[in-house]
Amino acid sequence: METDKGKLMGMLRLMHTIRVFEQTAQQLFTEGLARGDFQGALHSYEGEEAIAVGACSCLRKDDYVVSTHRGHGHCIAKGADVARMLAELQGRETGYSRGRGGSMHIFDAERRFMGGYGIVGGNLPLAAGLALASQYREEDTVTVCMFGDGASNTGNFGETMNLAALWDLPIVFLVENNLYGMGTQVTRASAVPDLSRRVSGYGMESAHVDGMDLLAIRALSDDVVAECRAGRGPWFIEAKTYRYRGHSMADPATYRTKDEVEEWRVRDPISIYEKQLLGAGLITDEEIRGISAEIDAVVDESVKFAEESPFPQADALYDHVYASGE
């Protein structure tokens, strides 16, 4: 384990921030104060925090991250402002997309967080385009494309993997295999549940990682990002993880047993990381409690900021669209 305490504590803060953000967003949604992009479309990242934090901790500010419909954690891990994110969820003018994008379409160009996408697999070719642009401009920037196991069964998947491998693009495809595509278990939807095997036919390098272990993800991502930055891309990573909630707020997740959920909660990524830090003597229980209290306060202030922010004016309805009526 590395001994840079500042960086290690920073990753713990990010994991706690994602967890508290998601729990807060769910509460606001239940109270009717935050909305998804359509009824029930608020997708929790709770349980998957280690993947976003581990992968993004290896990136520079000028590297690109392309997200999914379950993208809050990716956005926070890339350094986004939680207050502006909560404002976006509540449709406020101070949100990242000025209240027009909602949960699935937060976009932060300054940090090169290139947005979430509601179309499953729709982000894959866009991410390849960003990587192609880096290559064309002879930059050493890297693109990390996050997606779920369900996206690996779309037509975009095969086309994108082929072009990325053909053109040696500087891109990391990171599939967050949380075992369910909406309510369908991956073994019922994929003839080959080992998703990393899908890319071997394209000659692409691939690796597996425990998606609940932050340090394992960070170590692998550090190596893979360095390979892509040096022109030895693309790479494919399959991270096995688990979402604690249903597919969205509209999903009661009755297709899973309580025992299955509890088995995964025992391997909670935040608890695992805290135990690793405690075992190495790099943190104390008191410091952990302090971080938890600090993040609670930050999110509470962010909620207040969002609630006090204005809604967009009606006459701005046609701003930033390609065409408008008379």
Side-chain angles (χ1 to χ4, degrees), residues 124-301:
L124 292 164
L126 298 176
L130 289 167
L132 178 61
S134 294
Q135 185 186 74
Y136 183 80
R137 293 192 296 255
E138 298 183 349
E139 299 172 349
D140 67 345
T141 48
V142 172
T143 296
V144 174
C145 179
M146 316 271 200
F147 57 102
D149 47 280
S152 68
N153 293 321
T154 66
N156 276 341
F157 177 84
E159 294 175 3
T160 303
M161 298 304 119
N162 181 60
L163 287 179
L166 180 66
W167 294 337
D168 301 320
L169 297 183
I171 185 169
V172 180
F173 295 105
L174 178 48
V175 56
E176 299 175 308
N177 185 354
N178 61 29
L179 308 187
Y180 289 92
M182 296 189 73
T184 303
Q185 223 279 348
V186 64
T187 56
R188 298 182 61 192
S190 300
V192 180
D194 181 352
L195 303 181
S196 65
R197 289 179 58 190
R198 301 274 188 92
V199 300
S200 61
Y202 301 109
M204 190 183 301
E205 296 286 351
S206 65
H208 291 88
V209 68
D210 181 355
M212 311 301 270
D213 187 339
L214 172 68
L215 294 179
I217 296 162
R218 176 174 165 74
L220 176 59
S221 298
D222 200 31
D223 291 341
V224 167
V225 168
E227 286 288 294
C228 289
R229 204 179 301 286
R232 294 186 291 272
W235 267 82
F236 185 95
I237 296 175
E238 179 179 359
K240 286 288 184 66
T241 185
Y242 198 79
R243 52 173 163 83
Y244 292 165
R245 306 292 176 178
H247 172 70
S248 71
M249 289 295 289
D251 175 17
T254 54
Y255 45 82
R256 308 188 301 188
T257 66
K258 290 182 179 180
D259 288 344
E260 178 183 297
V261 177
E262 287 308 310
E263 285 175 10
W264 279 92
R265 281 187 178 274
V266 170
R267 299 178 53 216
D268 182 75
I270 297 177
S271 296
I272 288 174
Y273 186 48
E274 288 175 345
K275 290 175 182 176
Q276 289 169 332
L277 294 177
L278 287 166
L282 295 170
I283 200 171
T284 65
D285 286 318
E286 184 178 355
E287 286 177 307
I288 291 174
R289 288 191 292 271
I291 288 174
S292 181
E294 171 194 334
I295 299 308
D296 286 343
V298 168
V299 175
D300 285 345
E301 282 298 312

